[in-house]
Amino acid sequence: MPQHPQYSSRHDGKINLEQQRKRAKELLKQLRNGAAPNLEERLTGAGFSSHPRRLSDAQWLIAQDLGFPSWPKLKAHIDAIAFAARHPGFDSDDEANSVHWRCGNDIAHTLRVAGFKGEFRMFTDPLCMGPVPDLPPPEFQAVRSKFISRAFAMDEAESRQRLAQEYAAIDQLAHSPHVVLWCEADAYDQLFLIRLLAGLRHLPPRLELIEINHVPGVERFIGIGQLAPDLLAWLWPQRRPLGEDALRLARRAWAAYRSSSPLPWAALVHAPSPPLPFLAPALLRQLRELPALRTGLSLTEHLALEIIREKGTVAFGRVFAELMAKREPLPYLGDTMFHALLRPLIDAPSPLITETGTERLWHERTLTLTSLGQRVTAGCAYWFDQAGMERWVGGVRIRSGGPHWAIDDDLRPVWRP
């Protein structure tokens, strides 16, 4: 069963103040020696006119590079994390009687290290991949378990049993006295969020959400799982209650995502959604997994092929690392999920990618574009006319070689005859 994304290049958000002070002193030496002209330009452009340069100038530069407007703001953030770690308020919040829900197990251990004592439950169905049709629960779970077992080379009976347990636990969620959901802004998390909320017949006594799309001091925030234990304690008091308005929005969004047409779903991506503010951007990103009108590629496929084209021959794992570190606008994939998404481009009768070194682990194998891959990437051929397969994006089923939904350059769903 796929887990939440793993983080190959980590920054856990915990900033060491003494280390930053040492960096500032070293940087000050460079400034006074004239060894950092580009930084001098930044300081002058920001209105810093002191000469010789002062320690406060170097501290400002470091704060800026870490994403803070000033050194005092950086220090206040570090102090807030340290205070939260020492005084988490778990007892007063009755945290021991709470149930923490997460799509994957990436924070299960970190919560314990941070001092959380409540029950941890995870939901592992990657609703951002494969068929998500509008079917009654038994049929829906059968479709999902079949997809998961094939995509991730799992035993189907094991997949079906695990999925049934997770969905049964969701059905009992409304009876928990205190539920806390841990989410970020990507499609993996937001689809988990609306599925969980849409399944509630009524609100639990306490339903709260911890939801973030960035952390100060983290240059490339990928997900909550990359954060140090102290940061989870810092996030705890930032949770907010969810009410009936969030449930109504989730039910509407979940029904739209399972529709056989992307139009109801596309109607949500530009509408304000205050109860769940990260939902619309995540749905818009997921909409871009429809075939692009010019190439027939999803955005994930397009970005991966661009990386391979630029590098010529490259290790599978390096493509994933580059995608997550630099290219993906809203990271949501784990490494095994990425591997599953790229298999059709490798295994198709007319592949876009050649894979060598198949005796090695998948992330060590090397990838090269085929001539068809070069043509598709350049927009000179349409992948889905040649793919010999079908794709699902939510409830939208796309069959190769026939009319299907696609997405145009303005990110609008269009019917391709």
Side-chain angles (χ1 to χ4, degrees):
M1 192 76 73
Q3 302 298 317
H4 204 275
Q6 299 299 305
Y7 312 97
S8 54
S9 56
R10 290 173 58 99
H11 188 317
D12 64 9
K14 191 171 182 180
I15 304 170
N16 185 300
L17 185 59
E18 285 307 311
Q19 185 182 52
Q20 302 310 317
R21 283 174 173 154
K22 290 177 183 178
R23 284 184 61 204
K25 290 176 182 178
E26 290 297 319
L27 183 55
L28 179 60
K29 291 178 184 178
Q30 296 179 38
L31 290 169
R32 289 181 172 177
N33 291 335
N38 57 326
L39 298 181
E40 274 291 347
E41 290 180 10
R42 284 179 61 188
L43 287 168
T44 302
F48 289 83
S49 57
S50 61
H51 289 285
R53 287 298 180 191
R54 297 180 296 196
L55 181 61
S56 59
D57 299 342
Q59 289 175 335
W60 180 83
L61 285 169
I62 286 175
Q64 288 282 306
D65 288 343
L66 289 173
F68 297 90
S70 67
W71 181 264
K73 292 287 187 182
L74 165 62
K75 188 175 181 301
H77 173 73
I78 295 172
D79 290 343
I81 291 173
F83 181 86
R86 294 193 306 269
H87 309 90
F90 294 153
D91 292 340
S92 60
D93 294 333
D94 198 26
E95 185 276 328
N97 290 319
S98 63
V99 181
H100 300 274
W101 275 90
R102 173 79 172 145
C103 50
N105 65 353
D106 58 338
I107 65 171
H109 175 69
T110 320
L111 285 173
R112 297 294 175 234
V113 174
F116 290 80
K117 297 181 177 63
E119 182 183 357
F120 179 82
R121 302 300 298 261
M122 68 175 176
F123 180 80
T124 58
D125 188 355
L127 299 167
C128 52
M129 296 175 62
V132 188
D134 185 7
L135 292 173
E139 291 92 332
F140 179 84
Q141 289 182 35
V143 168
R144 293 301 299 167
S145 61
K146 185 175 182 179
F147 162 73
I148 289 169
S149 64
R150 289 183 176 180
F152 301 99
M154 292 182 58
D155 178 75
E156 187 171 348
E158 178 188 343
S159 172
R160 184 165 55 248
Q161 181 181 17
R162 183 166 176 177
L163 212 61
Q165 291 172 347
E166 292 183 3
Y167 277 98
I170 284 180
D171 291 340
Q172 297 301 312
L173 187 145
H175 303 293
S176 301
H178 184 197
V179 177
V180 182
L181 313 176
W182 295 75
C183 292
E184 53 233 24
D186 61 74
Y188 191 129
D189 288 51
Q190 292 296 306
L191 291 171
F192 150 73
L193 178 61
I194 62 171
R195 169 59 187 90
L196 191 145
L197 296 179
L200 291 176
R201 294 185 178 87
H202 57 82
L203 286 168
R206 290 177 68 189
L207 176 62
E208 297 174 329
L209 175 64
I210 294 173
E211 186 180 50
I212 55 172
N213 64 350
H214 76 285
V215 172
V218 177
E219 182 178 0
R220 175 75 164 167
F221 176 70
I222 302 297
I224 299 173
Q226 77 189 96
L227 301 180
D230 289 359
L231 273 291
L232 299 189
W234 171 71
L235 285 173
W236 176 247
Q238 300 180 45
R239 67 197 188 281
R240 62 182 179 87
L242 293 177
E244 291 289 349
D245 53 349
L247 267 59
R248 287 192 296 269
L249 175 59
R251 289 167 185 150
R252 181 186 171 200
W254 180 239
Y257 186 63
R258 291 180 297 152
S259 171
S260 60
S261 163
L263 295 178
W265 165 19
L268 289 168
V269 303
H270 298 297
S273 55
L276 304 172
F278 296 150
L279 177 59
L283 289 178
L284 178 60
R285 169 62 187 91
Q286 188 65 359
L287 199 64
R288 300 179 73 180
E289 289 303 284
L290 291 172
L293 193 57
R294 190 169 66 92
T295 64
L297 296 170
S298 72
L299 179 59
T300 300
E301 293 169 340
H302 169 76
L303 294 173
L305 291 182
E306 280 291 316
I307 294 168
I308 300 169
R309 182 186 64 80
E310 292 170 10
K311 298 187 181 298
T313 299
V314 60
F316 212 138
R318 288 291 300 271
V319 179
F320 175 69
E322 173 82 7
L323 177 71
M324 294 295 284
K326 299 178 181 178
R327 310 291 181 102
E328 170 57 57
L330 195 57
Y332 72 100
L333 287 172
D335 53 1
T336 57
M337 296 163 68
F338 176 70
H339 176 244
L341 283 177
L342 245 59
R343 288 309 324 171
L345 280 64
I346 300 168
D347 300 332
S350 299
L352 302 186
I353 301 170
T354 299
E355 179 187 41
T356 57
T358 53
E359 72 281 0
R360 299 195 293 266
L361 296 173
W362 72 263
H363 60 273
E364 297 174 342
R365 301 170 189 172
T366 54
L367 305 179
T368 309
L369 291 192
T370 64
S371 58
L372 178 59
Q374 296 279 2
R375 290 170 54 220
V376 168
T377 305
C380 300
Y382 191 77
W383 164 235
F384 236 76
D385 284 344
Q386 329 237 355
M389 61 178 187
E390 71 175 25
R391 175 191 301 166
W392 288 78
V393 185
V396 181
R397 186 180 188 181
I398 305 159
R399 292 183 175 90
S400 178
H404 58 257
W405 286 103
I407 189 164
D408 66 14
D409 291 342
D410 296 322
L411 307 185
R412 296 175 305 185
V414 292
W415 183 251
R416 185 179 188 272

